[in-house]
């Protein structure tokens, strides 16, 4: 059981809020595994290197993550007043989102299920 009044609990929870610039994409039309292949490559790298990697990566996820990274850089520049040259990718991860279920007709009146998977992608930046 939590101690204190509800307003005290909320105040304490909001006091240690993460102020690092970030960007989140919800319901991206790709599986978590496919997004993680690209995210694992850029994790911990500085922003310019990560943008170069994403530009020339042939995977579909890289184009989506590149737009998300550019959005996070713009958030850092405009909202937090950070210098883009000093930024690096502190965290990046993909979480599961609701799966769309579709039906494919098969022989003899059967129906096979197709799972179209989605994910939520998050990129968090920090300054060196």
């Amino acid at each position: 059981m939590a101690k204190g009044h509800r307003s005290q609990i909320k105040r304490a929870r909001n006091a240690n809020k993460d102020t690092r610039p970030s960007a989140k994409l919800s319901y991206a039309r790709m599986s978590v595994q496919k997004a993680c292949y690209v995210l694992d490559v850029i994790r911990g790298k500085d922003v310019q290197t990560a943008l170069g990697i994403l530009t020339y990566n042939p995977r579909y996820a890289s184009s989506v993550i590149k737009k998300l990274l550019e959005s996070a850089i713009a958030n850092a520049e405009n909202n937090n007043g950070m210098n883009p040259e000093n930024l690096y990718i502190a965290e990046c991860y993909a979480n599961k989102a609701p799966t769309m279920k579709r039906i494919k007709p098969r022989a003899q009146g059967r129906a096979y299920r197709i799972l179209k998977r989605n994910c939520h992608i998050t990129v968090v930046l920090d300054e060196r």
Side-chain angles (χ1 to χ4, degrees), residues 109-126:
R110 292 185 178 92
Y112 281 11
R113 177 169 277 184
I114 296 175
L115 301 176
K116 294 181 180 250
R117 300 186 189 277
N118 296 319
C119 68
H120 304 309
I121 305 171
T122 307
V123 175
V124 180
L125 304 179
D126 208 355

Side-chain angles (χ1 to χ4, degrees), residues 51-119:
L51 283 173
I53 290 169
L54 293 172
T55 302
Y56 296 105
N57 193 331
R59 289 183 177 271
Y60 166 73
S62 62
S63 62
V64 174
I65 294 170
K66 182 177 180 235
K67 278 178 79 170
L68 189 65
L69 179 58
E70 288 167 347
S71 173
I73 294 167
N75 289 341
E77 212 172 342
N78 297 322
N79 301 343
N80 296 27
M82 295 179 168
N83 188 6
E85 282 82 46
N86 302 335
L87 294 174
Y88 75 100
I89 299 172
E91 293 177 32
C92 57
Y93 51 88
N95 294 325
K96 220 167 94 168
T99 303
M100 294 190 292
K101 291 161 183 84
R102 301 293 181 261
I103 299 297
K104 183 172 181 82
R106 298 306 299 244
Q108 297 179 355
R110 292 185 178 92
Y112 281 11
R113 177 169 277 184
I114 296 175
L115 301 176
K116 294 181 180 250
R117 300 186 189 277
N118 296 319
C119 68

Side-chain angles (χ1 to χ4, degrees), residues 34-46:
K34 290 176 183 177
C36 280
Y37 280 130
V38 179
L39 291 173
D40 290 341
V41 175
I42 63 168
R43 188 175 289 117
K45 301 241 184 342
D46 65 291

